Amino acid sequence: SQQGEEDPQALSIQEGENATMNCSYKTSINNLQWYRQNSGRGLVHLILIRSNEREKHSGRLRVTLDTSKKSSSLLITASRAADTASYFCATDARSNDYKLSFGAGTTVTVRA
Amino acid sequence: DGGITQSPKYLFRKEGQNVTLSCEQNLNHDAMYWYRQDPGQGLRLIYYSQIVNDFQKGDIAEGYSVSREKKESFPLTVTSAQKNPTAFYLCASTGRLAGSQNIQYFGAGTRLSVL
C-alpha cells in the first residue's frame, strides 16, 4: 500500500539553487528513506533516517524527520544538472512487516 | 561487479501469453522483491521472498507468479490473467531482513508492453 505522499509533484530549478521536497505519511514508521530514479532506470538509495532521528546529512543532501507531523523533507543544496531525476520517499513499519511503502515521487529538473 | 541484473530490458507480450522476467543478484542478499511502476505513480509491491523456497504476496499479486529456487534468482511470471500488464517492473534485494535497515538495491528494470 502507498503510504508516502511527496510534494511537490514536480520542481524546476536553476543550477546552483537548492531543491526542497517533502514527504508525508500516515502511520507510525521504523525508518524513512529517500531514493533517486533517473529516467528509465532503477532506484538508487540516497539516505536513511531512523524514527528516533530528527536530521541527517550526506554530502549535499539534508533530510529532516518530524514524527509528530508524520513528515520528512529532502534538501539538495547547490543543485547540478546531474541531480535531474525523480525522488521517492519510502517508509517501513513493524505493522507492515518492514516492507517498503513508496510515495509517487517528486520529479526534479535542474536547468543549466 | 556486484549488483542486480534484470533481463530483458524490453519485453512484448501477446494476448493470452505468459512471459517471464528474470532477476539475478550476486550480492548474497537473502530478501528479494518485485515492484510494478506505472507512470506518475510510486512503486507497488507484487511479491517478495525473504528466504529460498519461500515467498509472500504483496499488494498487487493477482495475475503474477514467482519462484525462489536459488538465493540468487527470483523470476517473475506475468500470466495471461494479468489484464493490464503494461508497466515498468523493478526487482530489488536487501541483505537485512525485518527489524533492521531495509535498504534496497534495485535492478535497471524491465519495460513490458502488450502487442
Side-chain angles (χ1 to χ4, degrees), chain A residues 1-2 33 35 37 50 103, chain B residues 37 42-43 59 101-102 104:
Chain A
S1 57
Q2 306 247 308
Q33 302 179 51
Y35 286 81
Q37 183 182 34
R50 296 176 183 157
Chain B
Q37 186 178 30
L43 279 63
D59 300 316
Q101 297 175 10
N102 187 1
Q104 295 189 5

Side-chain angles (χ1 to χ4, degrees), chain A residues 20-55:
Chain A
T20 300
M21 59 211 86
N22 305 295
C23 169
S24 60
Y25 56 90
K26 296 176 184 144
T27 60
S28 295
I29 63 170
N30 185 46
N31 300 304
L32 185 144
Q33 302 179 51
W34 286 91
Y35 286 81
R36 184 187 74 227
Q37 183 182 34
N38 290 89
S39 182
R41 305 290 295 174
L43 277 69
V44 174
H45 171 78
L46 294 176
I47 194 166
L48 177 148
I49 187 165
R50 296 176 183 157
S51 59
N52 62 356
E53 296 177 315
R54 291 297 165 258
E55 188 170 315

